[in-house]
Amino acid sequence: MKVIYADNNATTQVAPEVLEEMLPYFHDLYGNPSSMHSFGGQVAGKLKEARERVAGLIGATPDEILFTSCGTESDNTAIRAAIASQPDKKHIVTTRVEHPAVKNLCEHLGGHGYRVTFLSVDRQGRSDFEHLYRALSHDTAIVSVMWANNETGVMFPVDEIAQVVREKGIVFHTDAVQAVGKIPIDMEQVPVDMLSLSGHKIHAAKGVGALYVRKGTKFSPFLIGGHQERGRRGGTENVASIIGLGKACELASQHLGEENERVKYLRDKLENGILKRIPNAMVNGDRDHRLPNTTSISFEYVEGEAILLMMNEFGICASSGSACTSGSLEPSHVLRAMGVPFTAAHGSIRFSLSIYNTEEEVDFIIEKLPPIIERLRELSPFWDESKAAAAVCS
Ligand code: PLP
């Protein structure tokens, strides 16, 4: 069965060009980039090129790029570096809709002597600016606000937030793991101090990421060891994956225009096709300020997991907006923070496309999904009740 992969915010396929560039570094060119001999030296040269390519995608300089093992490590490094380098400050500001890589760390720090302000969002997933301004104080060590949400694709106005935070002299970090490669990002234009990105979201390998650290930002290493990454992150580099990440960033720069427009066209076609054919379906989040590849759609009175299982029968891969915890399906913290009604949050599905998706695949999903939802609603006692209520009202 052909796989229709519409779960690219979870992970992406490694691009063939990326794989090709990585392969020699597993076997033939296995030198350590820190070695004095030229066998290692040629690897160091290739790492340098990768650093330049990553920097090129986000308008940074190569020495502002630090390679890490993943987006989670980048997020943890940024926040821990900021608090470790300002031990007198005990306040952190973030949002209620961050990825667990930020949210769970902040909650953890909240239990270890830090005061954490979690900014709320509205029904569209937008941030409350007033709350942010009021929250900042002399005690604030770092503000961490994601560039784009992984579940809904909703983008925060990072440039405006970064400006305000900088005026107060506070360190600003953004988790741009979902944004990098999908929208133009330029560190020369946006006063962000630290930015996280991850390889496997942009057609590079899993287990590699990067942290942008603006020159002059207070920093204290998270992983302490050898002199790698100019003493900012110990550990022998994941050479092949870093080289792949560099190539993926180069490809992403080329795709920012036309290719991403095509992805947006496919996302819109998918979304509109679904909304047209399925009653009681709604898009979660601000449709005007979203990543071009993501849509989160709630189908009232059905369970997301059941939809996923039935789509899986046709080879369609997507994600649901709920997590199975202790036997009960809990809507995600993102949809809860947005106040999505219970009956809708339970039946939410995220489709996230990539440059490898085709129009035929989108048409296939639009054809297969309506009968799936119809069947599940026939089995749902709540759907019957809602129809009865609608009949009484009309
Ligand atoms: N931040 C966001 C917004 C993400 O979507 C993810 C992964 O889904 C991460 C951080 C963590 O990245 P990684 O899987 O590379 O640790």
Side-chain angles (χ1 to χ4, degrees), residues 109-291:
L109 293 169
H112 289 80
Y114 286 87
R115 189 167 60 84
V116 184
T117 303
F118 289 95
L119 303 170
S120 49
V121 296
D122 66 13
R123 185 71 175 77
Q124 301 301 314
R126 294 173 301 221
S127 59
D128 176 354
F129 260 127
E130 276 307 308
H131 191 187
L132 169 68
Y133 302 145
R134 282 199 310 273
L136 303 179
S137 79
H138 293 302
D139 195 35
T140 311
I142 181 166
V143 175
S144 180
V145 174
M146 69 198 324
W147 201 303
N149 186 268
N150 42 301
E151 286 187 33
T152 60
V154 171
M155 294 189 287
F156 282 113
V158 165
D159 42 356
E160 288 173 55
I161 297 173
Q163 200 66 50
V164 171
V165 175
R166 162 173 284 191
E167 279 162 21
K168 300 262 185 195
I170 298 167
V171 175
F172 180 68
H173 163 251
T174 184
D175 174 344
V177 163
Q178 293 293 347
V180 166
K182 294 174 188 154
I183 53 163
I185 287 183
D186 186 355
M187 289 298 96
E188 278 189 21
Q189 302 299 324
V190 186
V192 161
D193 296 306
M194 289 187 273
L195 174 148
S196 304
L197 63 94
S198 174
H200 73 111
K201 310 293 182 178
I202 56 169
H203 304 291
K206 293 162 189 60
V208 64
L211 178 67
Y212 160 83
V213 183
R214 187 179 292 279
K215 239 178 243 126
T217 303
K218 299 173 187 110
F219 190 85
S220 170
F222 177 41
L223 274 194
I224 296 172
H227 59 272
Q228 293 91 351
E229 300 299 301
R230 301 200 298 139
R232 293 177 297 175
R233 197 256 186 198
T236 302
E237 297 87 347
N238 180 357
V239 169
S241 295
I242 291 172
I243 290 167
L245 175 60
K247 184 65 185 173
C249 286
E250 187 188 71
L251 293 172
S253 305
Q254 293 160 11
H255 294 150
L256 275 175
E258 248 175 57
E259 269 301 292
N260 281 2
E261 270 304 307
R262 195 183 67 81
V263 172
K264 181 174 181 307
Y265 162 78
L266 292 181
R267 189 277 311 269
D268 290 346
K269 180 169 186 190
L270 176 66
E271 188 172 272
N272 292 330
I274 289 172
L275 294 179
K276 208 167 125 196
R277 284 168 184 77
I278 303 178
N280 294 63
M282 65 190 90
V283 172
N284 296 311
D286 181 356
R287 292 175 78 176
D288 296 329
H289 297 98
R290 269 186 311 167
L291 294 173

